[in-house]
Each structure stands twice: as structure tokens, then as C-alpha cells.
Amino acid sequence: MSDKKNLDSAQEASGESNRMWGGRFAAAPDALMERINASIGFDKALYAQDIAGSVAHARMLGDAGILSDADVTAICDGLDTVKAEIEGGNFDFRADLEDIHMNVEGRLTDMIGDAAGRLHTARSRNDQVATDFRLWVRDAIDAADDALKSLQSALIDQAEAHADWVMPGFTHLQAAQPVTVGHHLLAYVEMFGRDRGRFSDARARLNESPLGAGALAGTSFPIDREATAKTLGFDRPTANSLDSVSDRDFVLEYLSAAAICAGHLSRLGEELVIWSSAQFRFVRLSDSFSTGSSMMPQKRNPDAAELIRGKTGRILGAFTALATVMKGLPLAYSKDMQEDKEPVFDAAETLMVCLAAAAGMTADMAFDRDRLAAAAGEGFTMATDLADWLVREAGVPFREAHRITGRVVALAEEKGCGLEDLPIADLQAIDARIDDSVFGVLGVDNSVRSRTSYGGTAPDNVRAQVASSRDRFLS
């Protein structure tokens, strides 16, 4: 066979799979190359953002006189039809067309012919995907913020209901000082509030439009990037075309915020696992968020809390994966950056499931007041109250008061009783400055009521912080 016939056969074999690449390549891609190159299996998730960007781009081209009104109408109507087909489950996603951009354009070409080919004027897949992905991450941030707000609402409701329920506060997982359940839960409200702040900061920085940056150098067409940015809800167009197509900071920032948030969720999950155990019995999770054992009929497992704790690794892994991809890339776009989407899509879905599960568990969980109160007094948790009393009422320097209290704790431990159960004579034998009024600070309820400093655990403080949290986070 002649070289001419070989070339003709290769071109015939390439068929539809090659039409988007133009005339540069004669042969169809090898099956393995097609498999490693195609991203449609996951980037079809960007269909709505891709179509929105294309509609904005087409209308801008029309307004700039680059496309005719007839072409703009045909393109926009066609894109609406493509979106309806995808959402109706009637769209044939083709791996040979590589990605969501070519799949949409390919279907548009089938529908409206040559006009579809004019849509790609003054843009590249590089700025197209950067725009689509910013829109998608922006939507993911908004969804995370809504879910975090719902979780905060559940925590605040529980904090209000348990503002004066005493429980042990821990350091090193050792009983430290009595706190209230409401105070403990409000700590997570603050954590998740910071998470919302990080997502908000990331959203503000990403909200610039790369559309119109082209492959890397901009375009010679008289486009209006301000117009497309405004149409798509961006604050402004990106300022540098090279940076526009090569930047994935916005994804890393989202993943960083998601990873920190997942860490907070994991801490909450860990505490619920501990608190719901037979050894603690602080809380009971509802049947909706618990499972049984296939072998042990008595078991009641906090699987939802454990899974929240476990799934944190997937989100942390997504950040690590993308940071590793990006660390050595020269400007501008490299195909490595196709690896930016799968971990992000998985992380976003995982985060949303965990946030929903955490909100559900929090709203349904029931505390055991008697068990919490009993545990609040275990481990000599009023020791600091005794030391503070010595400073406040007897004028003892704190370091000396600390030593005196340590001797009192040792005596109580020897006698197998709580500090409040020691006779006054035993206390005075250690230090004669102690009098009967000390018993006014040694009960757990007295202890928490005394912690009135701003941010402290006193029930009145908790109720004030509940009101403040509703105003700060839920209004």
C-alpha cells in the first residue's frame, strides 16, 4: 500500500474522534492513550458551568460584533437543549471526545452545524476549563457554607437546651474542671464559624473570571472580558492570561478549608464515639445514626460518627494529591492539571455527606444528665476552685495555693472521697486559713456558676453566647 493510501486509511479510521483536534493529527489515538487522556468520566460534573460559560461567551461575541445575531441565537438555544438532554439523562457522553467541553460542542455541532464551530472563537479549552472549575468550586463553597450553617444551628439548639447541665471538661482526656454541656457544644460552633470564614475568604479570592485569557496569551479579537465576568457573577476578569490558565490556588484553598473543616468534624465524631461508649454513657445517639453487630446483639455502634472521623483522610488526601501535582509545573497549562478534578469532586461530596450526618446526629442526640453530673465531680475537678478560693479569700499567692491544694487532693485520694467530702478539720490541718465558706465553691454547680469571665462556662454566659451565636452565624 502506498504512503498516500496509508494516510487516507488512518484519517478514515480517526473519524469523529479526531474532528475536534483539527488537521494536525492524521491517526486516531491509541486506545490506551484515549483511556489516559479522556476526562469525560468525571468532568461531566462541570456540564452546567460549562454551558453557562459558553452562553455568556457567545452573547459577548455577539455584542462585540464577532458573531451574528443568528449564530448567537442558534448557539444559545442549542446549548439550552444540550443542558436539558444531560439533565434528562438522554445525553450520550463519548470518551472519544475527551472531555465535557468537546462533548457539549460535539452535540451542539450535530444540532446546529457550522455555527457551533464559531462558539470557540477567542477562547481555548484552557481558559474554558479554568472558568468552569472556578464556577464549580464557587458553588461547592456555597453548598458547604449552607451545610455548616445547618450544623451550627443544631449545635446552638442543643447548647441552649443544656446551658446549665454540668459535665467534666478534659485536658489530655483527663478530668480537669467542670463545664456545661452548652459551653462544650458552643466550642464547635466557633470552630465551624472559622471554617465558614475560610470558605468565604477562598470564595472572595477565586471570584475572578479567566474566560477570554485564551490558551495562555490572550486573544487578538476585540472581546469584552468585563462583560462575561459580570454575566457569570465574577467580580472582575483575571489580570494576567498566563496566570489565568495555570492557577489552581482556588482549588487548593477550597481543599485546605475543607480539610480543616473535616478535622473539626473528626474531633466532634471522636467525642461522640467516646461519649456514647458504655464506659462514659454521656450521650445516646439515635437509631438513625447507630448500627448493630452481626454477632453481638447488645451492641449499639456509633458508625456515623466513626465514618465522619474516617472520611477526613480522604479530604486531607485530596489536598495532598493536588498540591503534589501543582508543585513542579511550569507556566502555563500542562496536562497534569487534568488531575485536579477527581480528588476535588470526591472531597466535596465527602465533606457534604459528613456535614449532613453531623447535623443529623447533633440534632437527635440525647444527653444523660445524671451521668454527666456524676462524672463532672470525678477526678477532683474542683481542685482549681479550691486554689482560687485560697487566693481570693485568704490572700495566698497562687503558687502556694497550688501546693496546698495538691496536698488536699492527695488526702482526698488517700481517703477515697471527693474534695467536698473532706471534713473541715482535715482541711485546716493542711492549712489553717481554710474555713467553712470553702464548701461554697467545691460543688460542680458552684464551680461552673463561678466561671463568669467572658467566654467562660457559667450558665448565664452560655445563654448569652447562644444568643450571640444565633446573631453572628444564623441571621
Side-chain angles (χ1 to χ4, degrees):
M1 186 180 294
S2 68
D3 290 343
K4 175 66 166 60
K5 289 182 179 179
N6 280 328
L7 180 58
D8 289 345
S9 296
Q11 289 175 330
E12 182 179 352
S14 69
E16 289 292 306
S17 65
N18 209 27
R19 69 174 179 179
M20 292 296 177
W21 286 1
R24 173 62 181 84
F25 293 91
D30 182 86
L32 184 57
M33 179 58 194
E34 182 175 289
R35 182 176 177 185
I36 196 174
N37 191 50
S39 59
I40 189 60
F42 52 86
D43 72 10
K44 61 186 177 184
L46 298 173
Y47 79 88
Q49 292 80 14
D50 190 73
I51 290 171
S54 291
V55 169
H57 185 67
R59 288 178 175 159
M60 179 276 295
L61 292 176
D63 290 341
I66 299 169
L67 291 187
S68 68
D69 290 345
D71 282 345
V72 172
T73 299
I75 288 169
C76 293
D77 289 349
L79 289 170
D80 286 343
T81 301
V82 171
K83 184 178 181 182
E85 288 179 352
I86 294 173
E87 293 178 344
N90 302 314
F91 190 90
D92 180 23
F93 291 103
R94 294 170 49 186
D96 62 296
L97 293 180
E98 294 187 24
D99 55 32
I100 186 61
H101 324 298
M102 284 188 166
N103 267 265
V104 169
E105 186 177 332
R107 176 63 181 134
L108 186 65
T109 301
D110 293 339
M111 294 167 56
I112 67 172
D114 289 345
R118 299 187 180 97
L119 171 60
H120 209 56
T121 304
R123 75 173 181 184
S124 162
R125 276 194 297 176
N126 294 355
D127 62 329
Q128 188 178 0
V129 69
T131 303
D132 294 355
F133 208 14
R134 281 180 187 253
L135 290 170
W136 191 93
V137 171
R138 192 175 71 185
D139 290 343
I141 287 173
D142 292 344
D145 184 75
D146 287 343
L148 279 163
K149 184 176 181 180
S150 295
L151 176 53
Q152 286 181 299
S153 179
L155 286 163
I156 291 169
D157 287 346
Q158 287 279 24
E160 184 172 32
H162 303 91
D164 57 359
W165 287 32
V166 293
M167 66 172 290
F170 298 92
T171 63
H172 309 279
L173 202 55
Q174 304 295 312
Q177 290 179 269
V179 296
T180 60
V181 173
H183 187 63
H184 195 113
L185 296 178
L186 286 176
Y188 284 102
V189 173
E190 294 298 320
M191 289 181 184
F192 294 128
R194 292 193 296 275
D195 290 327
R196 291 179 68 185
R198 275 181 282 272
F199 280 123
S200 178
D201 289 345
R203 191 189 196 283
R205 266 185 295 278
L206 77 76
N207 208 36
E208 297 181 347
S209 173
L211 192 58
L216 76 162
T219 178
S220 59
F221 288 93
I223 61 173
D224 186 349
R225 294 189 63 208
E226 292 280 356
T228 51
K230 182 178 180 180
T231 298
L232 294 170
F234 290 112
D235 295 329
R236 64 192 70 85
T238 50
N240 182 281
S241 60
L242 278 168
D243 180 57
S244 299
V245 299
S246 59
D247 168 45
R248 291 299 183 270
D249 289 0
F250 64 96
V251 191
L252 288 169
E253 283 200 62
Y254 167 74
L255 287 175
S256 175
I260 295 171
C261 179
H264 292 155
L265 288 167
S266 183
R267 296 182 75 176
L268 176 60
E270 170 69 1
E271 294 208 308
L272 292 178
V273 169
I274 293 171
W275 290 357
S276 62
S277 68
Q279 289 69 33
F280 273 73
R281 305 191 313 279
F282 287 179
V283 72
R284 182 180 177 87
L285 301 180
S286 71
D287 290 349
S288 299
F289 296 96
S290 304
T291 65
S293 165
S294 62
M295 182 178 183
M296 297 166 284
Q298 85 283 6
K299 291 295 293 300
R300 184 182 180 84
N301 299 324
D303 280 9
E306 292 175 356
L307 287 166
I308 287 172
R309 186 179 61 189
K311 287 180 182 294
T312 299
R314 293 174 66 167
I315 299 173
L316 287 167
F319 174 82
T320 302
L322 183 56
T324 303
V325 167
M326 297 302 299
K327 71 175 182 61
L329 297 185
L331 297 180
Y333 183 84
S334 297
K335 195 68 170 183
D336 313 49
M337 292 165 67
Q338 183 169 289
E339 294 300 307
D340 59 0
K341 295 170 194 65
E342 283 184 283
V344 179
F345 293 159
D346 181 74
E349 181 179 4
T350 300
L351 179 65
M352 293 302 293
V353 168
C354 289
L355 286 169
M361 279 194 302
T362 298
D364 288 353
M365 64 186 178
F367 290 94
D368 185 329
R369 187 169 195 169
D370 292 339
R371 174 62 192 136
L372 286 164
E378 295 171 355
F380 311 109
T381 56
M382 277 81 71
T384 305
D385 296 282
L386 173 56
D388 288 347
W389 182 92
L390 285 164
V391 172
R392 187 173 56 251
E393 302 298 331
V396 179
F398 182 79
R399 286 303 174 196
E400 182 183 353
H402 190 283
R403 288 191 295 272
I404 294 167
T405 302
R407 293 175 59 195
V408 173
V409 169
L411 178 62
E413 191 170 34
E414 179 184 330
K415 288 178 173 288
C417 66
L419 302 184
E420 68 275 20
D421 299 319
L422 288 170
I424 185 63
D426 286 350
L427 295 173
Q428 290 179 332
I430 293 173
D431 194 286
R433 289 169 289 188
I434 301 176
D435 60 40
D436 286 338
S437 66
V438 75
F439 294 107
V441 302
L442 292 184
V444 293
D445 289 308
N446 291 331
S447 176
V448 296
R449 278 197 297 268
S450 72
R451 304 294 169 180
T452 56
S453 60
Y454 182 78
T457 192
D460 286 347
N461 281 25
V462 173
R463 294 185 182 98
Q465 285 301 320
V466 163
S468 174
S469 294
R470 290 193 191 281
D471 182 59
R472 290 164 58 204
F473 299 121
L474 306 183
S475 61

